[in-house]
């Protein structure tokens, strides 16, 4: 609590929470959204965990689940939404995640439903492959989109970019060989 | 001589009764009787997969799923899921229960199986106040809400 007073989570902060594939549900409009069941307090009555997006990374948020059999996405919701629903956002740093917070307060369905409704995907389904390291493209604060170009797409784009160069080298080589052959033939 | 007898007994025990691994557990019978509704059978299969989830499956200290709560949720579904109603989504809950959900852009219905015969219902439409209430066994209050999601 002391740290909360000294270093409160900013009003405009956005929070991240891991969402297992079991909690990805159709939104009725052709998309996938997190179930409200993903925003409940822990079964041991500990408050709901989250991380401050601006102070963490997707890679670090997903580190605890890299060995899980299930896939995970990361939902992002405004701290203001939690506060509007009567929740307190309290810092609770843990090993390997200094940006960890507790979202404290009673969570009837009305509250968890609102958290789910106001969420966007910071790391959307299908979740895997997860980002390996804290790369710059992973240092997103409120950019809700997954990196616009995935790794295979980047490779394909690199291949397409290389095509004109291959043609240039090939045509040049053929022309040079032709010139050499003609020179040898006539002289 | 005594040693020979002991050896014979030891050998005979393992020859006559060779090691047999325990037979695998039969698949859980989540429905008391097979349903004629393919939607119920499909939802049952999904619920069956919840039983394989280990503790901490949500990475936030979740419990294993309680088979009795799954059975109760499927029993509820077989009572309220009319042919003209939309098939819901079922999700496990961190406390080991089951939640049944219907969603539309302006309309949500969620039913959480809290305990045997105890359901927490949340219903929201854009044009009315959200409502949240508990249902104990008497599911007649749920049926019209489910019917409001046409297939």
């Amino acid at each position: 609590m002391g740290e909360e007073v000294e270093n409160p989570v900013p009003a405009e902060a956005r929070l991240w929470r891991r969402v297992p594939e079991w909690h990805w549900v159709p939104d009725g409009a052709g998309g996938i959204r997190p179930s409200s069941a993903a925003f409940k307090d822990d079964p041991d009555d500990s408050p709901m965990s989250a991380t401050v997006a601006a102070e963490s990374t997707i890679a670090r948020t997903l580190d605890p689940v890299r060995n899980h059999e299930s896939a995970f996405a990361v939902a992002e919701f405004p701290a203001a939404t939690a506060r509007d629903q009567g929740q307190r956002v309290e810092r609770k740093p843990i090993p390997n995640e200094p940006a960890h917070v507790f979202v404290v307060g009673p969570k009837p369905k009305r509250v968890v439903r609102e958290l789910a409704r106001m969420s966007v995907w910071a790391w959307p389904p299908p979740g895997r492959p997860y980002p390996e390291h804290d790369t710059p493209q992973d240092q997103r604060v409120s950019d809700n989109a997954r990196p616009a170009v995935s790794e295979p797409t980047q490779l394909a784009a690199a291949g397409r970019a290389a095509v004109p160069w291959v043609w240039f080298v090939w045509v040049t080589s053929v022309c040079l060989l032709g010139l050499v052959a003609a020179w040898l033939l006539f002289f | 001589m005594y040693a020979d007898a002991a050896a014979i007994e030891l050998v005979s025990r393992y020859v006559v009764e060779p090691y047999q691994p325990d037979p695998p557990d039969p698949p859980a019978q989540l429905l008391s009787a097979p349903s004629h509704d393919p939607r119920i059978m499909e939802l049952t299969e999904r619920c069956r997969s919840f039983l394989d989830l280990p503790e901490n499956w949500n990475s936030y200290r979740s419990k294993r799923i309680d088979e009795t709560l799954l059975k109760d949720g499927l029993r509820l579904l077989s009572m309220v899921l009319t042919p003209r109603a939309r098939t819901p989504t079922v999700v496990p809950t961190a406390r080991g229960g089951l939640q049944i959900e219907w969603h539309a852009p302006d309309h949500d219905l969620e039913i959480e199986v809290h305990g045997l015969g105890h359901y927490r219902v949340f219903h929201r439409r854009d044009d009315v106040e959200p409502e949240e209430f508990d249902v104990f066994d008497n599911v007649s209050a749920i049926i019209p809400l489910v019917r409001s999601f046409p297939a």
Side-chain angles (χ1 to χ4, degrees), chain A residues 31-171:
Chain A
I32 302 276
R33 70 164 187 77
S35 165
S36 66
F39 296 90
K40 288 281 198 177
D41 285 339
D42 292 354
D44 61 3
D45 291 328
S46 298
M48 185 183 89
S49 290
T51 53
V52 180
E55 300 168 16
S56 186
T57 63
I58 292 291
R60 201 164 73 204
T61 301
L62 290 168
D63 274 346
V65 298
R66 290 182 187 277
N67 294 327
H68 274 238
E69 196 170 321
S70 303
F72 282 77
V74 177
E76 177 179 305
F77 59 95
T81 299
R83 289 180 171 128
D84 289 347
Q85 296 296 319
Q87 308 289 302
R88 297 191 315 275
V89 182
E90 297 181 354
R91 291 189 182 275
K92 191 75 175 176
I94 56 174
N96 302 323
E97 187 47 280
H100 180 262
V101 295
F102 274 154
V103 180
V104 186
K107 292 183 183 60
K109 286 208 155 290
R110 166 183 62 77
V111 170
V112 291
R113 171 73 189 91
E114 192 61 13
L115 294 178
R117 196 177 71 84
M118 294 301 289
S119 289
V120 294
W121 293 116
W123 188 261
R128 288 199 174 98
Y130 301 142
E132 283 299 323
H133 300 290
D134 296 348
T135 53
Q137 71 174 10
D138 183 35
Q139 303 273 5
R140 290 169 294 143
V141 178
S142 57
D143 172 12
N144 302 328
R146 191 172 182 163
V149 183
S150 63
E151 190 176 344
T153 313
Q154 282 175 334
L155 289 174
R160 283 193 297 274
V163 165
W165 285 102
V166 171
W167 273 103
F168 175 77
V169 171
W170 190 81
V171 170

Side-chain angles (χ1 to χ4, degrees), chain B residues 6-151:
Chain B
I8 289 169
E9 183 190 343
L10 191 64
V11 169
S12 64
R13 182 188 303 168
Y14 285 99
V15 169
V16 175
E17 296 176 14
Y19 169 73
Q20 293 285 341
D22 291 335
D25 292 334
Q29 293 295 319
L30 295 180
L31 288 175
S32 54
S35 171
H36 295 297
D37 188 338
R39 298 173 303 167
I40 296 289
M41 299 307 290
E42 188 179 319
L43 293 169
T44 303
E45 283 310 305
R46 177 166 163 83
C47 286
R48 199 188 305 283
S49 65
F50 297 164
L51 294 173
D52 296 330
L53 293 175
E55 280 189 355
N56 195 38
W57 53 265
N58 75 345
S59 80
Y60 295 115
R61 295 178 287 281
S62 55
K63 292 182 178 177
R64 293 203 64 175
I65 305 304
D66 185 335
E67 186 177 328
T68 56
L69 295 182
L70 286 190
K71 287 179 178 175
D72 198 49
L74 288 166
R75 185 181 67 90
L76 170 70
L77 267 176
S78 60
M79 286 190 284
V80 303
L81 191 60
T82 56
R84 290 184 181 177
R86 187 186 306 172
T87 307
T89 305
V90 289
V91 300
T93 65
R95 291 182 182 274
L98 179 72
Q99 181 163 299
I100 306 163
E101 308 185 12
W102 290 260
H103 297 292
D106 58 347
H107 194 187
D108 297 289
L109 174 62
E110 298 181 355
I111 304 170
E112 184 176 350
V113 181
H114 258 242
L116 287 179
H118 177 195
Y119 314 110
R120 175 72 51 79
V121 179
F122 175 81
H123 181 237
R124 183 197 71 86
R125 289 187 82 117
D126 275 357
D127 53 349
V128 294
E129 274 294 300
E131 53 180 348
E132 183 171 344
F133 53 93
D134 285 324
V135 168
F136 295 93
D137 284 326
N138 182 3
V139 299
S140 57
I142 298 177
I143 291 174
L145 300 179
V146 173
R147 283 183 179 165
S148 66
F149 285 87

